[in-house]
Amino acid sequence: MAFSSFRTHNYTNVANTGYDEGFNYASNPIRVPPKDDQQHHLCELNDPSARSSHHRPSLKPLGVPTVKKRLHNSHVLAAVVSLISLALAITAVANGKMSWLLGQKNYQLIVVGFLLSIMNLCLGSTAPTLFLHVEARYGSSTLQNYDGILCNRVLGSRLDALWRLILGLMTILPLGLSVAYKTFTGGHSMLAVNSADYIGNTSYYGMFAPPGLQSLGKQTGTSLFFNATLPFLVAASPVYGTEPPIPLDTQVYGFNILLLDNKTTAALDIPQPAYISTVQSLLAPGESWGITARIAGTVAKFNYSKTTESDAMNSTFMRRCEEARASSGAYTAMQMLTENCFALLSSQSPDQSFQYLGFPPFPNDHTLPGYPSCSTFSHYAQLYDITRRPCTGSWIITRGGFRLVSGRCAETTLPPEKQLIITGVTGTFFGYFYMSSLVEFLGPFGTSSRNGSDWEHSFMATGVAAMLWSRITVMYGAANLAETHDAPDWTSSNNTNFTLGDVGLMYPVNDIVEYTRPTLRKSGLLYFTLAIQPLLVLVSITSIAYILKSTPLDKDFGFISVLSGIDRESLDVVNGASLSGNLAAKVKLIMRPMRNSQGDRIRYFVMPSSSTITPTVRNGRLAPNTIYH
């Protein structure tokens, strides 16, 4: 039907068209149709031809008149719930304790995903209302567009391309956000815990072998020596002939080697193996413990007396060398298939607080077969002092590893009784057990490959510290003890009994533990990702309340609204779509607020978009604070 046939149709003349005949609630009393009328009405529904011969019964109008509100309770509730969900999601990531608690078994991902779903529901309750207002105010106002928006039909028939794009984006938005927030992995959250709450007893530290190595090298200690020094050897060896730079600060290697400076190395005491194994069994994939403890360290330091007090040092060396030559295993040397050999001089007494080592020439004149004379060795010998010092170490324990991450040692030494495991031991036989290991570890510095390298003193200090630590550990440390806290006594060389705690072989420590779990990264971009939907909710509500306030529809606009105010004469244009719901062309829905003696109403007209006058027809505006029926 052409628009001209009903455009001048005045709402005040609807009494002559029969439009309000069944809805004249001002003149007709509200009544329930009698039984006969009800039956007759059912007949009309079954047989439309019966309407022409019978009078239609009056029906009670069920519509609820209302005034358009600026803000609806449901929209305010959606905004509040969305913002609360956003706050909880950000707290689940940004708050250290909360993210740590949720980091267990990926609960954080579950919670954030659940809160994103709630935010999506809130957006889904406000965005369609905004889209309807925008279509009515600025769009082509077609039935197909309204139907697509109300039913979220991205592939709806004759839906405008712009709305198809917008609805498509709104459909994939929650899917994209659910994927996007999961890309912010790689973060971690830490919480300070009490180790006793997890392992059930006091933390013990001392001269232990790491878990899995307790049974290795019990006879000599060389297995522990190589396990301790291998990370240092790998890091400090040349790469394609290029020497790595000397560290300018303390540097850690492996599970207990701490390079204090280029001529001083400490082999730190470590936690009890049972402690480490228990923690590893508790950790989930990606979790770790960071432990920091005040412990003791076996420190080997280069002695400068050869340059500062050469005569005294030479005299002391000659005396010790002659004493060692007369003993068994205190002075040893090994040829290196060059003109040099490697020589090691230890004490023939229980005091092992000094070690001489160097690369003297292979002797042509010697008293002991294959051993340089003391006078020859004196020109090449380098003295290293070994002491026990108070140190602090920090380790990381994971499900499959245990490594030292930082440490430092004081310049002072521990009390004399805690030096006894260095100064009061017998039967060490370092030369017999460690000569081959030391030649492999230090040999390149006695040949042309690394002769004169800046790393020489670092390697020698590390070799001496690891040698003393590993040998004493297998002889007297907890590697040979049952895993018990009732530690036996330790007997010194003069038959004095001490507890293992007195001499520092095994002692309780109140360590500091930080339990780390993998969580989402604390990123501003992640927080923005979480905030996208709440921001869209606020934009929707604000636009509806202020910019689109006078648009002639409200939040519950839909099928009922259109039926309540439709102009019946204009409905011929949609004939034939009762089952298919599809139209052969775009049909425009015109909304016109009107007033008559019975009050204000919104009148709806439908007309083909192809009509020549359709582009000039726009929807009307609502009057403020007016009740519409």
Side-chain angles (χ1 to χ4, degrees):
M1 179 183 293
F3 182 73
S4 59
S5 65
F6 61 86
R7 184 183 180 195
T8 59
H9 178 79
N10 194 317
Y11 188 75
T12 59
N13 295 325
V14 294
N16 297 325
T17 67
Y19 176 80
D20 274 16
E21 183 178 349
F23 296 90
N24 194 348
Y25 46 82
S27 58
N28 294 328
I30 299 174
R31 63 184 181 87
V32 177
K35 184 175 181 180
D36 291 341
D37 284 349
Q38 295 180 32
Q39 293 176 349
H40 175 72
H41 186 60
L42 290 175
C43 291
E44 285 186 343
L45 293 177
N46 294 324
D47 184 10
S49 63
R51 298 177 186 174
S52 61
S53 58
H54 295 87
H55 176 72
R56 287 182 300 165
S58 297
L59 299 177
K60 176 184 177 179
L62 301 177
V64 180
T66 186
V67 61
K68 185 173 183 179
K69 298 179 182 178
R70 188 177 296 275
L71 291 174
H72 292 279
N73 293 336
S74 60
H75 287 175
V76 174
L77 179 62
V80 171
V81 172
S82 184
L83 292 175
I84 291 176
S85 299
L86 173 61
L88 292 175
I90 293 177
T91 300
V93 177
N95 183 272
K97 185 174 182 179
M98 182 64 70
S99 62
W100 182 87
L101 291 172
L102 295 175
Q104 185 178 13
K105 296 183 180 180
N106 289 327
Y107 289 145
Q108 187 185 43
L109 290 176
I110 296 173
V111 169
V112 173
F114 174 72
L115 294 172
L116 273 175
S117 298
I118 294 178
M119 289 183 254
N120 180 55
L121 293 175
C122 294
L123 178 60
S125 68
T126 59
T129 306
L130 173 65
F131 297 158
L132 292 171
H133 278 72
V134 171
E135 172 66 10
R137 174 70 67 87
Y138 305 109
S140 56
S141 191
T142 65
L143 284 177
Q144 289 91 340
N145 286 349
Y146 290 119
D147 182 65
I149 294 171
L150 288 170
C151 300
N152 194 29
R153 294 179 179 173
V154 180
L155 302 178
S157 173
R158 288 176 172 76
L159 181 68
D160 285 356
L162 179 60
W163 285 119
R164 203 180 299 277
L165 175 63
I166 293 174
L167 294 179
L169 291 176
M170 293 299 295
T171 300
I172 66 174
L173 176 63
L175 301 177
L177 293 178
S178 66
V179 173
Y181 88 93
K182 294 185 181 74
T183 63
F184 291 88
T185 55
H188 61 272
S189 296
M190 296 182 295
L191 186 69
V193 299
N194 185 356
S195 60
D197 294 338
Y198 292 86
I199 64 175
N201 48 51
T202 305
S203 307
Y204 279 80
Y205 287 69
M207 301 188 78
F208 297 101
L213 301 181
Q214 299 97 310
S215 60
L216 299 180
K218 282 191 173 182
Q219 300 300 319
T220 63
T222 54
S223 296
L224 293 184
F225 173 85
F226 278 115
N227 271 279
T229 58
L230 183 60
F232 170 83
L233 180 63
V234 172
S237 296
V239 179
Y240 301 112
T242 302
E243 292 270 333
I246 294 286
L248 300 178
D249 201 354
T250 58
Q251 184 65 43
V252 298
Y253 303 94
F255 59 86
N256 76 330
I257 296 299
L258 175 63
L259 188 66
L260 298 173
D261 57 51
N262 65 338
K263 296 182 180 179
T264 309
T265 299
L268 302 183
D269 293 353
I270 65 172
Q272 188 178 16
Y275 175 13
I276 300 173
S277 299
T278 301
V279 173
Q280 288 178 326
S281 67
L282 294 173
L283 295 175
E287 294 183 346
S288 65
W289 267 30
I291 56 175
T292 300
R294 294 182 177 180
I295 38 82
T298 303
V299 180
K301 181 179 178 62
F302 177 71
N303 189 308
Y304 290 89
S305 60
K306 188 172 184 178
T307 56
T308 59
E309 301 176 3
S310 57
D311 292 339
M313 189 271 189
N314 189 62
S315 175
T316 302
F317 170 81
M318 293 300 294
R319 175 177 57 80
R320 290 173 173 174
C321 184
E322 294 298 335
E323 292 174 351
R325 284 165 61 95
S327 67
S328 175
Y331 178 33
T332 52
M334 178 178 286
Q335 187 179 5
M336 300 176 58
L337 302 180
T338 63
E339 70 265 12
N340 295 332
C341 65
F342 176 75
L344 173 66
L345 174 62
S346 302
S347 174
Q348 52 82 31
S349 69
D351 184 5
Q352 299 298 320
S353 61
F354 64 89
Q355 301 289 324
Y356 294 91
L357 59 164
F359 299 96
F362 188 72
N364 292 321
D365 54 337
H366 45 76
T367 303
L368 296 177
Y371 288 65
S373 65
C374 290
S375 59
T376 301
F377 186 25
S378 65
H379 298 292
Y380 300 91
Q382 300 184 44
L383 173 61
Y384 287 84
D385 296 322
I386 300 92
T387 56
R388 294 278 286 172
R389 295 190 193 177
C391 300
T392 300
S394 296
W395 291 266
I396 292 292
I397 302 176
T398 62
R399 281 171 59 94
F402 167 68
R403 61 186 177 88
L404 181 67
V405 292
S406 66
R408 63 181 185 275
C409 292
E411 292 295 332
T412 58
T413 59
L414 292 171
E417 64 271 15
K418 295 189 183 298
Q419 303 293 334
L420 287 175
I421 55 177
I422 301 294
T423 61
V425 293
T426 57
T428 53
F429 299 108
F430 293 120
Y432 284 147
F433 294 130
Y434 284 85
M435 184 55 64
S436 297
S437 301
L438 290 174
V439 167
E440 182 169 348
F441 187 70
L442 300 174
F445 298 96
T447 65
S448 59
S449 61
R450 300 192 74 178
N451 187 22
S453 169
D454 294 336
W455 282 94
E456 181 176 354
H457 288 296
S458 301
F459 266 78
M460 288 189 171
T462 302
V464 170
M467 179 180 69
L468 268 291
W469 170 81
S470 59
R471 183 62 179 154
I472 294 170
T473 296
V474 299
M475 289 179 63
Y476 301 108
N480 276 334
L481 299 174
E483 296 297 329
T484 175
H485 300 305
D486 298 323
D489 292 340
W490 181 81
T491 304
S492 66
S493 58
N494 60 1
N495 294 323
T496 302
N497 291 332
F498 297 90
T499 66
L500 295 186
D502 290 338
V503 295
L505 284 172
M506 180 177 178
Y507 45 90
V509 174
N510 292 324
D511 49 11
I512 299 172
V513 179
E514 287 187 335
Y515 196 154
T516 301
R517 284 175 173 163
T519 57
L520 295 173
R521 283 185 285 115
K522 298 172 176 59
S523 167
L525 188 57
L526 172 59
Y527 303 148
F528 175 75
T529 300
L530 299 176
I532 288 176
Q533 294 183 117
L535 288 176
L536 291 178
V537 171
L538 294 178
V539 168
S540 299
I541 295 175
T542 303
S543 300
I544 295 170
Y546 295 97
I547 302 175
L548 304 170
K549 177 67 167 58
S550 61
T551 303
L553 55 82
D554 209 353
K555 72 178 185 66
D556 293 322
F557 172 81
F559 187 66
I560 295 176
S561 300
V562 175
L563 285 181
S564 175
I566 192 67
D567 180 85
R568 299 181 184 183
E569 293 185 358
S570 69
L571 287 177
D572 291 342
V573 74
V574 297
N575 281 343
S578 59
L579 178 62
S580 68
N582 292 323
L583 299 171
K586 291 185 178 181
V587 175
K588 190 160 186 172
L589 178 65
I590 307 299
M591 307 176 190
R592 287 296 176 87
M594 295 182 177
R595 174 174 295 179
N596 67 359
S597 59
Q598 298 177 357
D600 294 272
R601 299 187 65 178
I602 299 177
R603 195 70 175 274
Y604 297 93
F605 304 91
V606 291
M607 60 183 300
S609 294
S610 58
S611 174
T612 57
I613 64 172
T614 299
T616 63
V617 180
R618 306 299 299 175
N619 293 326
R621 301 290 180 90
L622 295 180
N625 302 320
T626 301
I627 297 178
Y628 286 89
H629 295 267

